[in-house]
Amino acid sequence: MAEVQTSTQSGELSQRFIEFVMMHAQNAALFLGQIPNPKTGEPEINLDLARMFIDQLEMIQEKTRGNLTNEETTVLRNALSNLQMAYVEASGAAGPQRAAQPEAPQPPSQSAEQPTSGAPESSAPITSSESEPESRKKFTKSYGP
C-alpha cells in the first residue's frame, strides 16, 4: 500500500514539475513576443527577461540532471531548445527594432560605458581580439549573434 501511495505522490510531483517548466516557458515566450501581452493584446519583446527565464530553465536542467523521469526530461529539453531558437530569431530579426525601445530609457549609464569598453576592443591588436572570443566562449553563454 505504501508503494501505491508513493507512486501517486511521485505522479503528482511529476505533473507539478512539468507545469512549473511550462509556466517558465510561457513567461519566456511572452517576452519573446510569441504570446501577446494580456493587458495590451500586443506582442512584446524584452530579451533580457526572456533570457532570464531561459537561463533559469537551463539551471533547473543542470541541477536536476539524472533525477527526472523520461517525460520530465523530454518536456524540459524540448521547451529549452524551442525557447533558445525563438530567442535567436527574436534577437536577430525583431530584437533590434522592438527591444531597443524598452532598453533605451533604462540604461543610459550602460550605453555610456559601452563606447569606452568598445573603443579599446576595436583599437586592440589583432592577436588580442582573436584570443578574446575564445575566452568568452568558455565563460559566457549566447543564443545568437
Side-chain angles (χ1 to χ4, degrees):
M1 188 145 148
E3 293 174 10
V4 173
Q5 210 171 22
T6 304
S7 66
T8 303
Q9 288 176 348
S10 66
E12 289 176 17
L13 289 178
S14 179
Q15 186 61 34
R16 286 183 188 166
F17 180 80
I18 290 171
E19 289 171 0
F20 175 76
V21 168
M22 296 311 296
M23 181 182 64
H24 268 63
Q26 286 177 339
N27 284 329
L30 173 73
F31 293 117
L32 289 171
Q34 294 182 331
I35 300 173
N37 184 326
K39 291 182 181 177
T40 64
E42 296 292 321
E44 280 183 21
I45 294 181
N46 186 331
L47 295 178
D48 291 335
L49 287 175
R51 186 175 208 162
M52 180 191 73
F53 283 108
I54 293 169
D55 288 346
Q56 286 177 356
L57 285 173
E58 283 184 327
M59 181 228 12
I60 291 165
Q61 183 181 43
E62 184 62 32
K63 292 294 186 178
T64 59
R65 189 176 311 269
N67 294 320
L68 300 177
T69 65
N70 288 336
E71 182 185 17
E72 292 168 339
T73 302
T74 302
V75 167
L76 183 54
R77 183 183 57 237
N78 290 342
L80 259 174
S81 64
N82 290 337
L83 289 170
Q84 289 168 340
M85 291 299 289
Y87 183 92
V88 170
E89 291 172 10
S91 64
Q97 296 169 354
R98 293 185 184 173
Q101 294 171 352
E103 292 175 11
Q106 283 180 342
S109 61
Q110 288 179 352
S111 62
E113 293 172 8
Q114 287 175 348
T116 57
S117 65
E121 289 178 9
S122 61
S123 64
I126 295 173
T127 56
S128 67
S129 66
E130 289 176 0
S131 63
E132 188 172 338
E134 287 299 318
S135 66
R136 285 187 182 197
K137 288 180 184 175
K138 295 176 187 172
F139 300 108
T140 59
K141 182 182 319 186
S142 176
Y143 302 117

